Amino acid sequence: MTFATNGRRRRLLGGVGLAGALALGAAVAPAQAETAPSDQLSVNLLRLLVKQGVVSQSSADELLAEAERQTAAGRAAAPMATAPPVAPGVTRIPYVPEVVKNQIRDEIRQEVMAQARSENWAQPEQIPEWTRRVSISGDLRMRDQFEVYSKSNIGPSISQPGEGLIDFAALNANGPTDINYITNPGGLPFINTRKDRYNQLSLRARLAVQAEVSDQITAKLRIATGQNNTPVSTSQIMGGGLTKKQLWLDQAYVEVRPQPWIGGAVGRMPNPFFTTDLLYDPDLNFDGGTARARIGLLPDHGVTLTGIYGAFLLDYQDGNFPANSPNKMGVKTKWMFGGQGYLEWANDRFDWRAGAAFYQFQYDRGLLSEPCYLYTGVRECSTDFTRPAFMQKGNTLFLIRNVVPDPSLAEGLAPNPQYAGLLFDYDILNLTTEFDLKLSARRSLVLSADYVRNTAYRYRDACRYGQSGLPVNNVITVAGSDDTNVCATRAPGAPAPRFRSGPNAFMLRATYGDRAPEKLGQWSLTGGYKHIAADSMIDAYTDSDFHLGGTNAKGYFITATVGVLNGANIQARWLSAKEVSGPPLSIDVGQINLNVKF
């Protein structure tokens, strides 16, 4: 391997000047000859490089020849001087100053070390080339959580021992569930509304691998813990008899960048949109594909415009539905389509972003089935697939099965196994802005505002199915009455239950302190307020910590983060929320987190 080009050799000798050239020119034997070591530093160094294969023999010969020519030219140009005759058997060696020798040595050392690092001379063929394109990262979080419920929340009492909030997520997950209390006494699932829970220990572990396949393609993979396959949490409860903990495929996607200003991704990816945790939980990932374009509107002033479009698969209908019938239903796939544009303005004093997005959820609303004759042996009703694949709580629901009672049984004695579905459509408008004021090299003040409106919400749609598909939650009953039929026709002035919901949600948040408190002495404080009406967004994908997930919640949150060691911090959070409307449900959540990144 040739160590350097001729021009590079000249740079090595540039610091030597005429004295170095004379030293090389005075070599007593050609470099290719295996003679005794020379007293000249430059010649000895050159021979050593040839012997180690750093410099080829031909390159060494050229370098010596060039040095001799420069020496001859220097002698011709210099004033003629008569040197004392040299005695027989004596070789005259010009003096090379010590500073010149040191300079030669340092320059050669720097050049050789730089080339050794770039070409991996230290361990040739022991480190595969592909490892330079693969990186590994991850994080660990240990959490202690406290859940505190108000004693004024809805719950069982002496006068009404069955009073409570039905857990419709469990009803669907374990369903169909018979809701007839005569044929299934005490069989309905209810959520906890009054029992506090302390010291709930959990962990989160995530490990990510990123491969730079080429300058235009990046592949990313991440695995994470999780109590189950819920889309909004990767926390794993500890304990369980010291059983092993589960790992899930959390992300797996490919990014493509054909040009610096345009790109896209496909697979299971992190949230590609500019959002806050008002609309989507930070742990939520999306299954589908996106396209992105970014252009500079005022490049000299740091102003850019970004556009994103994505199509995401929410759920497949079983192609074999209904299983016990030769007549199959037409396949309908649930999708979420999203588009967003946001403007960025970044400079030395502040960073500001403002965006507008629209998300359309297709086929996510529940449908009332055709008359379903379960007593004949039918096991599925025509719209069972329209129930949500995952729920938290808050959205307005109705029972999607139009079950025909068994005529051979007395009235009220027929089972009624049911699923619950979403009563409203969801087309979400989202306006988001964030202003980051850079107070110093480390600290900043970040102000955020987020607004959401379900543009598909119509109050009258609560009774779209009449008496066959009544709302089963978000209903306020009249005191002393158990009437929940908000769609019945009543005489003027007669007391009636009321339906309560809404299409709007908003959040205000401020953060002050270090941008990433991961070192000792760094810190930040965050505080904010959320208001989320019941049908402003789909409850399945919201923050799972605030009000323990879902919609129909309002309240404040505060977070304090302190760096303890390089790469680690301790975080304390308090989230206090209660219902926007409907039965009282106040939940406070406290968390202490130890976060470590690598």
Side-chain angles (χ1 to χ4, degrees), residues 296-354:
L297 296 182
L298 298 171
D300 295 338
H301 298 279
V303 179
T304 60
L305 177 65
T306 301
I308 308 171
Y309 179 78
F312 306 100
L313 177 66
L314 299 179
D315 196 17
Y316 280 118
Q317 175 191 335
D318 184 1
N320 197 43
F321 177 83
N324 60 336
S325 172
N327 300 318
K328 305 301 179 182
M329 296 289 294
V331 175
K332 294 184 183 297
T333 302
K334 298 180 181 181
W335 290 91
M336 189 270 274
F337 300 100
Q340 182 183 57
Y342 63 88
L343 192 70
E344 291 181 277
W345 184 9
N347 55 51
D348 294 337
R349 294 173 297 167
F350 62 83
D351 294 337
W352 175 66
R353 286 196 294 178

Side-chain angles (χ1 to χ4, degrees), residues 94-161:
Y95 170 71
V96 180
E98 190 66 28
V99 65
V100 175
K101 295 180 182 179
N102 293 339
Q103 188 173 359
I104 295 173
R105 180 193 61 211
D106 292 342
E107 290 183 0
I108 293 178
R109 178 187 297 168
Q110 292 173 7
E111 294 281 354
V112 173
M113 293 302 296
Q115 189 169 356
R117 284 192 296 268
S118 64
E119 299 181 6
N120 192 30
W121 292 0
Q123 294 178 329
E125 300 181 358
Q126 292 188 20
I127 302 178
E129 186 275 336
W130 63 265
T131 60
R132 304 181 186 180
R133 296 180 282 110
V134 176
S135 60
I136 299 176
S137 62
D139 66 272
L140 294 171
R141 183 188 69 198
M142 308 300 171
R143 168 176 289 178
D144 188 5
Q145 179 163 310
F146 308 83
E147 299 166 6
V148 183
Y149 297 84
S150 172
K151 303 309 176 186
S152 300
N153 288 347
I154 184 174
S157 61
I158 296 177
S159 59
Q160 293 182 313

Side-chain angles (χ1 to χ4, degrees), residues 220-555:
K220 299 183 180 181
L221 178 72
R222 188 171 78 178
I223 57 175
T225 54
Q227 189 72 15
N228 48 47
N229 64 348
T230 169
V232 292
S233 176
T234 52
S235 293
Q236 169 68 58
I237 302 298
M238 301 176 73
L242 303 182
T243 55
K244 298 180 179 67
K245 312 310 176 188
Q246 299 183 78
L247 287 177
W248 303 84
L249 181 61
D250 192 38
Q251 294 178 2
Y253 63 104
V254 175
E255 286 184 341
V256 180
R257 302 175 299 276
Q259 296 292 333
W261 61 276
I262 191 170
V266 61
R268 179 169 175 79
M269 68 193 74
N271 182 356
F273 301 101
F274 165 45
T275 60
T276 69
D277 62 4
L278 173 68
L279 183 58
Y280 298 127
D281 187 281
D283 284 337
L284 182 67
N285 294 301
F286 290 76
D287 299 347
T290 63
R292 174 191 296 264
R294 179 185 176 96
I295 59 175
L297 296 182
L298 298 171
D300 295 338
H301 298 279
V303 179
T304 60
L305 177 65
T306 301
I308 308 171
Y309 179 78
F312 306 100
L313 177 66
L314 299 179
D315 196 17
Y316 280 118
Q317 175 191 335
D318 184 1
N320 197 43
F321 177 83
N324 60 336
S325 172
N327 300 318
K328 305 301 179 182
M329 296 289 294
V331 175
K332 294 184 183 297
T333 302
K334 298 180 181 181
W335 290 91
M336 189 270 274
F337 300 100
Q340 182 183 57
Y342 63 88
L343 192 70
E344 291 181 277
W345 184 9
N347 55 51
D348 294 337
R349 294 173 297 167
F350 62 83
D351 294 337
W352 175 66
R353 286 196 294 178
F358 188 78
Y359 308 98
Q360 182 183 50
F361 293 84
Q362 191 174 78
Y363 298 126
D364 215 58
R365 174 170 65 85
L367 300 175
L368 185 66
S369 75
E370 299 294 330
C372 190
Y373 300 91
L374 295 175
Y375 67 88
T376 65
V378 173
R379 295 191 298 274
E380 296 170 304
C381 299
S382 61
T383 60
D384 283 358
F385 70 92
T386 65
R387 68 188 186 274
F390 177 75
M391 300 168 58
Q392 295 194 82
K393 62 179 183 296
N395 288 161
T396 302
L397 306 171
F398 76 104
L399 303 177
I400 63 176
R401 284 182 156 190
N402 184 12
V403 177
V404 177
D406 185 348
S408 65
L409 299 176
E411 183 178 358
L413 296 182
N416 187 8
Q418 281 287 354
Y419 288 115
L422 301 177
L423 186 57
F424 293 101
D425 291 299
Y426 292 87
D427 295 333
I428 307 298
L429 172 67
N430 182 210
L431 304 177
T432 310
T433 186
E434 182 178 271
F435 184 79
D436 184 348
L437 180 61
K438 302 173 183 178
L439 302 176
S440 66
R442 286 175 43 190
R443 291 179 182 163
S444 62
L445 175 64
V446 182
L447 304 175
S448 304
D450 205 358
Y451 171 75
V452 171
R453 181 177 177 84
N454 178 15
T455 61
Y457 175 85
R458 301 290 185 274
Y459 183 86
R460 62 179 178 272
D461 288 345
C463 294
R464 69 166 81 234
Y465 295 118
Q467 303 301 310
S468 299
L470 298 172
V472 293
N473 62 337
N474 297 328
V475 174
I476 301 176
T477 59
V478 178
S481 171
D482 58 358
D483 181 11
T484 60
N485 188 345
V486 298
C487 301
T489 301
R490 293 178 175 83
R498 295 170 295 164
F499 171 69
R500 285 286 185 268
S501 183
N504 299 308
F506 67 90
M507 183 190 74
L508 300 173
R509 182 175 63 193
T511 299
Y512 172 72
D514 294 283
R515 294 179 179 84
E518 296 177 354
K519 294 182 180 180
L520 183 63
Q522 296 182 346
W523 58 271
S524 69
L525 293 173
T526 298
Y529 181 84
K530 289 182 181 181
H531 180 108
I532 310 173
D535 292 295
S536 57
M537 61 190 74
I538 293 183
D539 64 32
Y541 310 125
T542 63
D543 181 10
S544 60
D545 294 327
F546 186 76
H547 207 232
L548 292 182
T551 60
N552 194 21
K554 62 181 179 180

Side-chain angles (χ1 to χ4, degrees), residues 31-48:
Q32 66 268 28
E34 292 295 332
T35 62
S38 170
D39 293 335
Q40 301 177 68
L41 174 63
S42 302
V43 175
N44 291 337
L45 285 173
L46 192 57
R47 287 177 178 173
L48 179 60

